Amino acid sequence: MKKVFVTLLIAFVALNLAVAAGPIKLRLSEIHMDGYPTTLADREFARLVKERTQGRIEITVYANGVLNATEAEGIEALVLGALGFARVSAAPVAEFVPDLNAIQLPFLYKSADHMWAVLNGQIGQDMLKKIQSSGSGLIGLCWYDAGSRCYYLTKKATSPADLKGLKIRMQDNKMMVRMTELLGATSVTGIGSNEIYSSIMSGVIDGAENNWPTYDTKGDYKAAKYYILDYHTRVPEILLMSEASMKARKVSAADIEIIKQCAKETQEYEIAQWKAMEKKSEANVRAAGTTVVELTPAQLQLFQDAMKPLYAEYGAKYTSIIAAIAEVGKKF
Ligand code: BDP
């Protein structure tokens, strides 16, 4: 009996030593293709982590949404500890950490620079901390740029009235769903970014909304040929880490600090990639014969007015944050 116990003990110790000797392998989920700004940043993040942890941690990036069809599913996997990392839009994360809606209300920022001053300042850093302290099991590592979002449709629109009755794919976020319904359209959720093209082609939806690079790289411009320049939201991207996964894989506190530092270092890299890609995609889409609908100030005002109720419905709890964001905007 004693012999069996000793043998088992030796086997157990040996197994643990073997595990300790090899790298901890973790997966990162990304819905964009290779070469897209966020995917480039994910790969740079993985490279830095491997280098700085001297190979103790190996992160493999899975692009194109092969791990999760929707970002909401990816976030769920992080919560459960079935996935190490995900680079996602802040919109679906707000369903887990509602405070995040405060920084993605429509027409909140004057420009990308304004948003970055907010994200790199107290508000943005507090928001990252809130993700970790929310009890969601998610850890926010850094922000990435995602430009601003416009509606794209199978028909021309210059005012909210033109969107009436249309079915628009929205991200899995109740505030965004409401935003589009305030225009008189019907929001459709549960459709991953990679399924929009086929959903438009099959008539399930009449359009969606996104930035130039997503509209371009997913090929959606071939299905919905009208891009309406209302620039309603700036929704940043977030690189998320799973608390449960780090615990289960016994990633040390020191290595978690290294991971956090590496993520922060990829932020500027992504922003630079983003700026180049945004221009390239706009040119690409325009050259393909897309109808880019410019709005007059009066037409744009109609979109702003229609979406305003969100500030009372979703922003009431965050009036001081919204005021602080406006204050930062005075410099721009
Ligand atoms: C893109 C984001 C991506 C989102 C997508 C969407 O980069 O993370 O999945 O929008 O609308 O801009 O779902």
Side-chain angles (χ1 to χ4, degrees), residues 31-32 71 87 89 149 169 171 193 210-211 214 237:
I31 63 105
H32 287 300
E71 293 191 334
R87 194 294 311 156
S89 162
R149 302 174 74 100
R169 179 271 184 184
Q171 290 180 283
S193 194
N210 222 311
N211 50 45
T214 302
E237 319 274 26

Side-chain angles (χ1 to χ4, degrees), residues 44-74:
E44 176 60 5
F45 167 63
R47 189 192 70 75
L48 279 175
V49 169
K50 188 172 178 186
E51 185 181 286
R52 302 267 173 88
T53 61
Q54 275 134 14
R56 286 188 299 281
I57 307 210
E58 260 180 46
I59 300 170
T60 307
V61 176
Y62 290 83
N64 288 319
V66 291
L67 291 184
N68 318 97
T70 67
E71 293 191 334
E73 286 164 20

Side-chain angles (χ1 to χ4, degrees), residues 23-318:
I24 298 175
K25 296 191 175 179
L26 296 161
R27 299 178 305 161
L28 188 159
S29 175
E30 167 63 71
I31 63 105
H32 287 300
M33 61 175 203
D34 263 310
Y36 194 91
T38 53
T39 316
L40 290 168
D42 301 335
R43 295 204 184 282
E44 176 60 5
F45 167 63
R47 189 192 70 75
L48 279 175
V49 169
K50 188 172 178 186
E51 185 181 286
R52 302 267 173 88
T53 61
Q54 275 134 14
R56 286 188 299 281
I57 307 210
E58 260 180 46
I59 300 170
T60 307
V61 176
Y62 290 83
N64 288 319
V66 291
L67 291 184
N68 318 97
T70 67
E71 293 191 334
E73 286 164 20
I75 299 165
E76 195 63 51
L78 294 176
V79 168
L80 297 172
L83 178 67
F85 302 88
R87 194 294 311 156
V88 293
S89 162
V93 189
E95 291 299 294
F96 298 77
V97 186
D99 288 348
L100 277 173
N101 276 327
I103 58 155
Q104 49 189 309
L105 280 155
F107 304 106
L108 186 62
Y109 305 105
K110 288 182 180 165
S111 61
D113 288 345
H114 179 192
M115 181 189 78
W116 278 111
V118 169
L119 296 181
N120 286 331
Q122 194 65 48
I123 300 170
Q125 297 314 299
D126 282 353
M127 279 289 168
L128 284 182
K129 284 188 202 129
K130 264 185 203 162
I131 297 176
Q132 184 158 3
S133 62
S134 65
S136 62
L138 303 169
I139 298 174
L141 296 176
C142 68
W143 305 105
Y144 290 144
D145 208 334
S148 60
R149 302 174 74 100
C150 293
Y151 287 100
Y152 52 89
L153 310 167
T154 51
K155 60 166 257 198
K156 189 174 174 181
T158 53
S159 75
D162 296 330
L163 271 85
K164 208 171 164 60
L166 297 187
K167 296 188 289 296
I168 315 271
R169 179 271 184 184
M170 296 303 292
Q171 290 180 283
D172 293 320
N173 170 309
K174 289 187 198 68
M175 181 175 84
M176 299 307 175
V177 163
R178 174 77 176 133
M179 178 176 75
T180 290
E181 295 196 332
L182 283 167
L183 301 178
T186 302
S187 293
V188 182
T189 54
I191 298 179
S193 194
N194 292 314
E195 300 160 338
I196 295 175
Y197 174 83
S198 58
S199 303
I200 297 171
M201 292 307 277
S202 62
V204 172
I205 50 173
D206 305 300
E209 42 88 60
N210 222 311
N211 50 45
W212 289 111
T214 302
Y215 182 51
D216 172 28
T217 57
K218 304 287 183 204
D220 296 357
Y221 66 96
K222 294 178 198 152
K225 301 193 168 140
Y226 296 87
Y227 193 73
I228 322 299
L229 293 180
D230 73 318
Y231 299 116
H232 49 269
T233 46
R234 273 188 189 278
V235 180
E237 319 274 26
I238 308 183
L239 183 57
L240 289 176
M241 176 162 80
S242 156
E243 210 175 298
S245 195
M246 295 310 120
K247 236 181 233 155
R249 307 301 304 281
K250 299 193 170 60
V251 178
S252 69
D255 281 345
I256 287 181
E257 279 319 301
I258 294 176
I259 290 172
K260 286 186 173 173
Q261 183 55 32
C262 291
K264 291 220 179 331
E265 286 178 33
T266 60
Q267 194 175 287
E268 288 304 313
Y269 171 74
E270 193 274 349
I271 296 171
Q273 298 292 334
W274 176 262
K275 283 192 178 132
M277 180 83 183
E278 201 173 33
K279 284 205 189 84
K280 211 173 97 191
S281 284
E282 179 178 352
N284 196 24
V285 162
R286 283 183 187 270
T290 303
T291 304
V292 177
V293 182
E294 312 264 353
L295 299 178
T296 64
Q299 288 167 337
L300 186 61
Q301 191 64 50
L302 294 176
F303 283 86
Q304 295 183 345
D305 290 347
M307 291 176 182
K308 214 167 237 150
L310 285 189
Y311 278 76
E313 294 173 15
Y314 283 86
K317 273 193 265 167
Y318 308 108

